Amino acid sequence: MNQSNTSLIDQFGRKVDYIRLSITDRCDFRCVYCMAEDMTFLPRDEVLTLEECARLVQVFVGLGVSKVRITGGEPLVRKNALWLFQEIGQLPGLRELVTTTNGSQLEHMAKDLRAANVSRINISVDSLNAARFKKITRTGDLDKVLRGLQAAKQAGFKGIKLNTVLMRGFNDDEAESLVEFAVNQEIDIAFIEEMPLGEVDHTRESTYVSNADTLARLQKQFTLVSSTENTGGPAKYWRIANSQTKIGFISPHSHNFCEACNRVRITCKGELYLCLGQEDKVDLMPLLREYPHDDQPLLEAILRSMSIKPKGHDFDLRRAEPAVIRFMSVTGG
Ligand code: SAM
Ligand code: SF4
């Protein structure tokens, strides 16, 4: 393979060393903020094969990417997903392999994922009430997810974090109990503001809960200590006094993180999106399929893409149509 050591620096001087790869748009859940009830998924031949995913990641790692997040859709429902984790987990130069999952498959996969060098895992849990959990996910089984969490703890991941989207009228009264749960479990939790990605069955404005409001509520019950930790993303972290637990607030509606953006996203169709909230992209699938034994065209296209990475994004909840038509399950969260 002809690889260069050139690293990925965009037109604003930001170094890209983190990729998020969605390996499927399919999912066993239908979370109300993520998908419409009646979703049409992509035909299989329009989705990257696992071999193509592995090749892409290898090229990115050759370009200096040191952190890879595998996401979806639900990454762990993709057949043979473990093989991909194993391939990526042994790439020289990779510092961190992580994944975001709804937890439904963790009970039987956690141990193998840890053995494949997955170091940290994010599990989405929006409610600790089984009936509500079902209402939000439409198909999910809370008990199964919680058993998955226990399996992940036993497997010895270095970091486990819950991801929670609070929605007015659905689960916005659970912020405190979810944090308490995280403290008791000695894991972290992040609150993600709902983003207007794709058309769902409610208006985003009606359910939006700002992280500023959530923080203010939590500060009434917990002693939160501001942390300077910065992962180059839209998260601001706080520590809970006298506990292991960190709380992250992922506030994509605020702009103050774009200057430090270090990431790009690849959809399960092989589209390289330079920003979660913008349409600028490069299609990598044609290059993967046209040049099955030559990585140079792929590598050059990725390097060229750095000149179109936008300065920042622009979400507006009051707009009638979604800011970005694609669903998070296609782009990868
Ligand atoms: N299925 C996995 C899961 O749920 O963790 C991984 C993919 S999911 C798209 C990744 C993250 O995106 C989840 O934590 C989910 O809560 C979040 N998410 C999905 N749609 C969202 C939206 N419209 N706004 C904010 N967060 C969203
Ligand atoms: Fe599936 Fe994750 Fe989207 Fe929920 S948030 S529908 S679990 S992809």
Side-chain angles (χ1 to χ4, degrees), residues 289-306:
R289 295 199 172 166
E290 224 170 286
Y291 303 96
H293 306 296
D294 180 6
D295 287 339
Q296 197 59 28
L298 195 59
L299 191 137
E300 283 167 13
I302 294 169
L303 281 171
R304 267 199 312 274
S305 75
M306 289 296 105

Side-chain angles (χ1 to χ4, degrees), residues 33-34 71-74 100-101 124 163 165 193 195 204 328:
Y33 49 78
C34 179
T71 178
E74 175 46 42
T100 304
T101 172
S124 298
N163 274 347
V165 177
E193 285 180 347
M195 287 176 258
R204 303 285 188 178
M328 186 82 134

Side-chain angles (χ1 to χ4, degrees), residues 173-198:
D173 57 348
E174 282 198 61
E176 293 88 347
S177 50
L178 281 156
V179 168
E180 218 159 73
F181 177 76
V183 170
N184 291 336
Q185 294 292 323
E186 303 185 331
I187 59 176
D188 296 328
I189 180 164
F191 291 98
I192 309 176
E193 285 180 347
E194 186 179 359
M195 287 176 258
L197 298 174

